[in-house]
Amino acid sequence: MNTEHIKVIRKRHGLIGVDFNELWRYRELFWFLALRDILVRYKQAFIGIAWSILQPLFTMVVFSVIFGQLAKLPSDGVPYPVLTFAALIPWQFFANSMSSSSRSVVGSAGIISKVYFPRLIIPTSAVISGTIDFCISFVILIGMMVWYKIVPTMNIVYLPLFLLLAFTAALGIGLWLSALNVEFRDVFYIVPFLVQAGQYISPVAYSSSIVPEKWRLLYSLNPMVGVIDGFRWSLLGTVTPHWTGVIVSAVSVLIIFMGGLLYFRKMERTFADVI
Amino acid sequence: MSFKMEKTIISVKNLGKRYLLGQGGGEGYRVLRDVMANAVKDLFKKNNENVDQQEFWALKDITFDVRVGEKIGIIGWNGAGKSTLLKILSEITEPTEGEVRINGRVASLLEVGTGFHPELTGRENIFMNGAILGMRHAEIKKKFDEIVAFAEVEKFLDTPVKRYSSGMYVRLAFAVAAHLEPEILLVDEVLAVGDIQFQKKCLGKMEEISSGGRTVLFVSHNMSSVRNLCQRTILLTNGKIEKEGPSVDIINYYISKSHINESGSVKWDISDTVPGNNDLKVHSVSVVSSQGDITSEFTTDQDVTIEIKFWNFKEGEKYIVNINLKSSDDLWVFTSVNAPSANIGKDIWYEKPYCVGLYKTECRIPANLLNNGKYYVYIAIAYQKINEAIVQLEDVISFSVYDIGEMSKEYNGPWLGPIRPKLYWNTELIDRYPTGTDNSRELT
């Protein structure tokens, strides 16, 4: 070894930044752990792949019948099934990734107490494996758009940005909950509640256009509002999103994510002792 | 070159690690519900007394340097802090005080098979495990064939490892770890796996690895492998460095000081060395013949009784006592425990809450069970309710069993293995043939 690289191990105090050099050195592990999740899931469950398709499909049918047919909510000029499905896939990506990310650290207790690698990889790769599921259901959405003869607008180039926002939101909350879950084992019971409540305060089953203007900014504090509006806009070309609202969503995601990073880095020092 | 040999690669200064033992001293994590409930309770409590959180220093004031290419052995009794030291060096856990400076890539073999997933195939697990241990994909690919050949699992590469025998599993796991190429290798007892043949292969691999100029820190209970592998050894006692120097000296010192006692009885005289805690302290451990004499020499046809005397200071506590017997070649012979389901007699105190007093628990190993040889006794006493050990005395006492030929009147041996039980044998005539029958024709 020519380079004099001296690593110092000592107790760290205060806020701890992210060691990007180290993450870069371990970059392959992000993908490997995500791949392991996927492989294991699809090997164990016969309906593995089918599940990631069936779950949003069934929900779409229910939403279309109840909100579109019975409640006759506005569909912004696109078929109701497409309207909900375009929202369901980012929502389910967010909800599933956030849950598995929250569970991930406690679920890796065995590795954490035996080997060192950057702990941030654990919750992150849980979200990455959620992204792979997202890609599968996205294919279904494309199929539906072909069926309903909907041509995406040029706005589709912005879609990756909204996906990134959903990714960051899922990871941000995942970082908080996975670290909290190490110390307080009952934190995980909050997650199903978050998912259930979140689905109603996000425009999944309905269009955000039914939310009164004066509540829009407050409503947009929920990060998924910006994501879902963005998805509908860039794919279906429905009414332009409330841009101030999108910015509010993005800022709130950023705050949750940065806070989550710092909290996780602070707590990871004692993971091996507590887990 | 000589300058390079002098270079310090690991420098440990005043290292300490403190653990907080909470109420019950069980798991480290808490439950949010309790924390909130306590916060509410505290609101109504006047004196904000600190709940009984006990401190425990697993390591304290550890200072040593390791030079490039050195092989250091780390020995000590259970709980001396050996594993904690390796965990700090490999960054799994953070020290409470002091610091370590490391100048090179570290890999640790703390436990083989970490990150193996039973559903994945051998091939998938090699890549996964390699990545977790810090190997690059390209690096694993390059060594893949070597790893597979070493583990002898060629035929089962595409079988999920859940279908592997435990031997194959361990071989594969060791093979991956052994093909890491770090500058510093931390090893914790990995050689205690697999069958004897594979252990030898592992030891050979270890020697090969360490002869390549690599720095090795080796934690082990196996004195002969420490002696073979390491020039220098550190003896840890209760989280502190008790002695450090050439391996031969330190190992001799350790053996002479260790409680492996051949007089048939150990008693702790100096009060601060008595094993135990505030609830229970060990008085003595003895090996006793059926005549009631303390001795360390038995014949194969004699009962061997192991007697543990201890004080209980906590009214109403319940304990469980177990012994493990080890043979002189470091193999476990058996575990036995005074719980009803594992006891052919009846231990009335197992069921009852102990009153304060001095107790004697004995375990009788029947005659005609052990083979001739030397045996080492491990004793543990734990709280019955939570199964948490209060004392664990490894190699606390030893005794020898001699063959006086009582079972060799007809058969001369060899008698293999650590046990030589008298078993139930019988031969029966199933079908009688008339005399003069030609056997070979009759049977075809």
Side-chain angles (χ1 to χ4, degrees):
Chain A
M1 198 176 188
N2 300 325
T3 48
E4 282 276 311
H5 176 73
I6 297 188
K7 185 164 55 190
V8 180
I9 302 170
R10 65 155 76 92
K11 189 182 176 76
R12 289 167 295 176
H13 297 274
L15 296 179
I16 301 156
V18 177
D19 187 344
F20 289 103
N21 279 331
E22 192 184 53
L23 288 180
W24 178 247
R25 257 185 290 131
Y26 277 93
R27 61 189 179 274
E28 285 174 348
L29 197 52
F30 284 98
W31 172 242
F32 268 131
L33 288 183
L35 192 67
R36 183 179 75 169
D37 278 359
I38 300 265
L39 277 175
V40 168
R41 192 141 36 97
Y42 291 151
K43 276 185 186 185
Q44 273 171 340
F46 166 68
I47 55 161
I49 286 200
W51 186 240
S52 58
I53 298 169
L54 289 177
Q55 204 185 351
L57 272 180
F58 282 137
T59 323
M60 174 199 74
V61 171
V62 171
F63 284 177
S64 307
V65 170
I66 293 182
F67 295 99
Q69 299 296 318
L70 300 179
K72 301 228 185 302
L73 292 179
S75 71
D76 297 347
V78 288
Y80 215 88
V82 182
L83 182 84
T84 46
F85 202 72
L88 266 170
I89 59 167
W91 169 255
Q92 297 215 314
F93 160 64
F94 167 79
N96 295 340
S97 310
M98 179 199 66
S99 323
S100 64
S101 179
S102 309
R103 257 188 317 240
S104 61
V105 172
V106 169
S108 313
I111 312 183
I112 286 179
S113 54
K114 296 290 163 14
V115 201
Y116 174 77
F117 55 86
R119 306 307 190 204
L120 278 173
I121 294 178
I122 299 171
T124 312
S125 58
V127 181
I128 294 177
S129 80
T131 316
I132 300 172
D133 283 337
F134 168 84
C135 295
I136 296 169
S137 28
F138 193 74
V139 175
I140 305 294
L141 180 68
I142 294 173
M144 282 178 63
M145 288 173 66
V146 171
W147 175 262
Y148 284 106
K149 300 196 174 63
I150 298 168
V151 183
T153 60
M154 278 306 287
N155 300 336
I156 197 164
V157 294
Y158 297 107
L159 191 71
L161 283 180
F162 293 107
L163 179 61
L164 184 70
L165 195 61
F167 188 99
T168 317
L171 182 56
I173 298 177
L175 287 170
W176 276 104
L177 294 181
S178 60
L180 273 168
N181 202 17
V182 174
E183 198 166 2
F184 307 106
R185 283 309 148 91
D186 49 352
V187 164
F188 188 70
Y189 299 115
I190 300 172
V191 174
F193 169 76
L194 273 183
V195 171
Q196 205 177 22
Q199 185 159 354
Y200 291 107
I201 60 167
S202 308
V204 180
Y206 51 88
S207 161
S208 62
S209 57
I210 65 170
V211 176
E213 188 61 32
K214 58 175 176 172
W215 296 111
R216 280 308 286 263
L217 282 185
L218 185 67
Y219 184 61
S220 299
L221 280 177
N222 169 6
M224 288 310 286
V225 172
V227 171
I228 292 172
D229 279 355
F231 260 73
R232 285 188 175 138
W233 170 69
S234 52
L235 280 169
L236 313 174
T238 52
V239 278
T240 22
H242 192 284
W243 287 111
T244 334
V246 172
I247 290 167
V248 169
S249 286
V251 170
S252 86
V253 166
L254 216 60
I255 292 171
I256 293 172
F257 176 69
M258 298 303 275
L261 263 184
L262 290 175
Y263 180 71
F264 189 92
R265 289 285 288 167
K266 187 175 159 59
M267 298 313 288
E268 70 169 23
R269 303 175 305 142
T270 52
F271 279 174
D273 300 334
V274 179
I275 213 155
Chain B
M1 191 66 197
S2 65
F3 170 72
K4 201 185 167 199
M5 290 301 289
E6 294 296 314
K7 216 169 73 175
T8 303
I9 191 163
I10 303 174
S11 164
V12 178
K13 223 184 269 164
N14 300 324
L15 201 69
K17 173 78 186 176
R18 182 186 59 197
Y19 286 101
L20 290 175
L21 307 172
Q23 308 119 297
E27 301 288 343
Y29 57 79
R30 294 178 285 170
V31 184
L32 196 57
R33 188 189 60 221
D34 294 348
V35 173
M36 295 201 290
N38 285 336
V40 174
K41 267 187 231 157
D42 285 348
L43 283 178
F44 299 101
K45 237 193 282 176
K46 283 271 144 59
N47 49 339
N48 223 342
E49 60 196 299
N50 227 336
V51 230
D52 51 330
Q53 276 216 325
Q54 280 184 320
E55 276 188 8
F56 164 68
W57 286 90
L59 286 177
K60 187 86 180 141
D61 295 328
I62 303 290
T63 300
F64 65 91
D65 281 342
V66 181
R67 287 184 297 277
V68 174
E70 253 192 318
K71 280 79 186 156
I72 308 261
I74 297 169
I75 60 174
W77 292 276
N78 274 355
K82 299 171 305 234
S83 303
T84 309
L85 179 60
L86 287 202
K87 279 191 176 178
I88 291 174
L89 293 180
S90 52
E91 287 185 272
I92 291 167
T93 183
E94 195 174 59
T96 312
E97 54 180 39
E99 64 170 39
V100 184
R101 286 172 179 274
I102 296 181
N103 189 6
R105 179 176 159 190
V106 180
S108 52
L109 304 188
L110 298 197
E111 193 168 298
V112 293
T114 306
F116 266 38
H117 198 290
E119 293 289 339
L120 300 183
T121 66
R123 185 191 305 278
E124 288 161 343
N125 268 309
I126 291 176
F127 282 98
M128 197 65 63
N129 195 226
I132 288 172
L133 293 173
M135 275 199 254
R136 305 289 309 280
H137 187 78
E139 207 179 329
I140 307 168
K141 230 173 173 172
K142 209 174 72 191
K143 292 195 182 135
F144 188 81
D145 293 337
E146 221 180 304
I147 292 173
V148 174
F150 186 88
E152 303 162 24
V153 293
E154 289 92 339
K155 283 184 210 145
F156 306 98
L157 264 183
D158 296 306
T159 309
V161 296
K162 66 177 176 187
R163 303 202 202 292
Y164 279 27
S165 70
S166 59
M168 282 160 62
Y169 187 93
V170 164
R171 286 207 301 271
L172 185 64
F174 181 85
V176 178
H179 287 81
L180 285 165
E181 280 185 349
E183 281 118 355
I184 303 161
L185 188 65
L186 311 174
V187 188
D188 192 356
E189 295 282 20
V190 277
L191 302 181
V193 297
D195 53 31
I196 291 180
Q197 242 179 337
F198 189 70
Q199 281 187 27
K200 280 195 182 133
K201 196 169 163 184
C202 293
L203 203 62
K205 184 77 193 169
M206 287 287 307
E207 272 162 14
E208 185 195 313
I209 291 172
S210 48
S211 63
R214 208 157 296 160
T215 312
V216 181
L217 262 72
F218 183 41
V219 164
S220 182
H221 282 118
N222 187 332
M223 291 305 133
S224 64
S225 43
V226 173
R227 196 177 301 143
N228 288 338
L229 224 58
C230 312
Q231 308 95 328
R232 194 149 72 93
T233 292
I234 294 172
L235 169 61
L236 287 181
T237 308
N238 297 326
K240 292 185 177 148
I241 296 184
E242 181 171 339
K243 223 173 165 57
E244 138 174 44
S247 294
V248 181
D249 300 353
I250 301 297
I251 289 170
N252 287 340
Y253 172 82
Y254 173 69
I255 290 172
S256 72
K257 254 211 79 178
S258 80
H259 291 130
I260 304 181
N261 186 303
E262 299 187 358
S263 69
S265 181
V266 207
K267 210 178 154 197
W268 286 266
D269 296 321
I270 313 151
S271 62
D272 63 339
T273 61
V274 176
N277 62 11
N278 291 336
D279 298 342
L280 177 144
K281 284 198 186 337
V282 178
H283 169 274
S284 61
V285 177
S286 321
V287 197
V288 184
S289 72
S290 43
Q291 283 78 39
D293 304 323
I294 290 177
T295 173
S296 66
E297 304 194 325
F298 296 84
T299 57
T300 48
D301 61 343
Q302 285 180 315
D303 291 347
V304 179
T305 300
I306 293 161
E307 262 184 25
I308 305 130
K309 287 187 186 159
F310 58 90
W311 290 283
N312 171 45
F313 302 115
K314 189 176 177 193
E315 189 70 41
E317 190 55 76
K318 284 180 168 184
Y319 301 105
I320 180 162
V321 183
N322 86 295
I323 66 164
N324 296 333
L325 202 68
K326 195 164 74 181
S327 67
S328 54
D329 44 3
D330 242 9
L331 290 172
W332 291 112
V333 181
F334 64 72
T335 294
S336 189
V337 57
N338 73 333
S341 59
N343 188 353
I344 54 172
K346 187 162 170 55
D347 189 336
I348 50 160
W349 277 101
Y350 183 85
E351 314 284 350
K352 283 201 273 188
Y354 282 58
C355 45
V356 176
L358 179 63
Y359 290 81
K360 179 178 89 178
T361 296
E362 56 178 37
C363 169
R364 194 171 79 232
I365 304 167
N368 300 314
L369 175 67
L370 297 176
N371 205 346
N372 67 316
K374 195 166 179 184
Y375 296 88
Y376 298 86
V377 181
Y378 165 104
I379 287 172
I381 306 177
Y383 293 112
Q384 211 184 94
K385 207 166 42 196
I386 50 176
N387 253 300
E388 188 188 85
I390 304 161
V391 282
Q392 298 180 62
L393 304 168
E394 191 167 356
D395 296 342
V396 62
I397 203 163
S398 72
F399 63 90
S400 301
V401 176
Y402 296 102
D403 179 15
I404 50 163
E406 193 264 341
M407 277 167 79
S408 302
K409 287 170 189 154
E410 305 84 9
Y411 170 74
N412 292 329
W415 299 91
L416 302 174
I419 59 169
R420 191 205 286 191
K422 282 195 179 176
L423 301 178
Y424 179 81
W425 280 85
N426 185 38
T427 307
E428 245 173 65
L429 174 66
I430 300 166
D431 194 6
R432 184 180 173 146
Y433 298 112
T435 42
T437 314
D438 184 337
N439 286 350
S440 56
R441 201 184 33 176
E442 192 67 26
L443 292 174
T444 45

